[in-house]
Amino acid sequence: IPAGLNVIDFRAFDGCEMLDRLVCRPVEPPQLENYNIHRKFLDAIKNVIVMVPAECLPLYQNAEGWKDVKLVPFVDE
């Protein structure tokens, strides 16, 4: 997910059964516009490792929706 993305549509990962890792580069966790609708988004990535910038990990760990997925920090070189 590119650094400039601010919002993720709930259908973003529909049909991505082989997805096992997602690199999310935004400093601020992208907004999940409607949390109830985005349960579908979260169900699609529940077994996916979501890599986020190491310095932003606490933001993702406290963000609605994002705190419910497997977050792993990475350092961008």
Side-chain angles (χ1 to χ4, degrees):
I1 298 175
L5 187 77
N6 297 321
V7 178
I8 294 182
D9 185 81
F10 72 95
R11 298 165 292 204
F13 300 103
D14 276 2
C16 295
E17 290 84 19
M18 300 301 289
L19 185 67
D20 64 352
R21 184 177 359 175
L22 180 66
V23 178
C24 192
R25 296 185 183 282
V27 173
E28 293 286 327
Q31 180 183 354
L32 304 176
E33 290 181 312
N34 182 327
Y35 185 67
N36 291 327
I37 290 174
H38 278 79
R39 292 303 314 166
K40 184 174 182 180
F41 166 78
L42 295 173
D43 286 344
I45 66 166
K46 67 183 173 193
N47 295 316
V48 174
I49 294 170
V50 180
M51 300 176 71
V52 300
E55 68 275 9
C56 305
L57 182 61
L59 293 174
Y60 281 82
Q61 289 172 325
N62 291 307
E64 197 64 45
W66 293 102
K67 63 185 177 185
D68 300 320
V69 300
K70 297 174 186 172
L71 298 169
V72 175
F74 75 90
V75 177
D76 207 4
E77 296 180 19

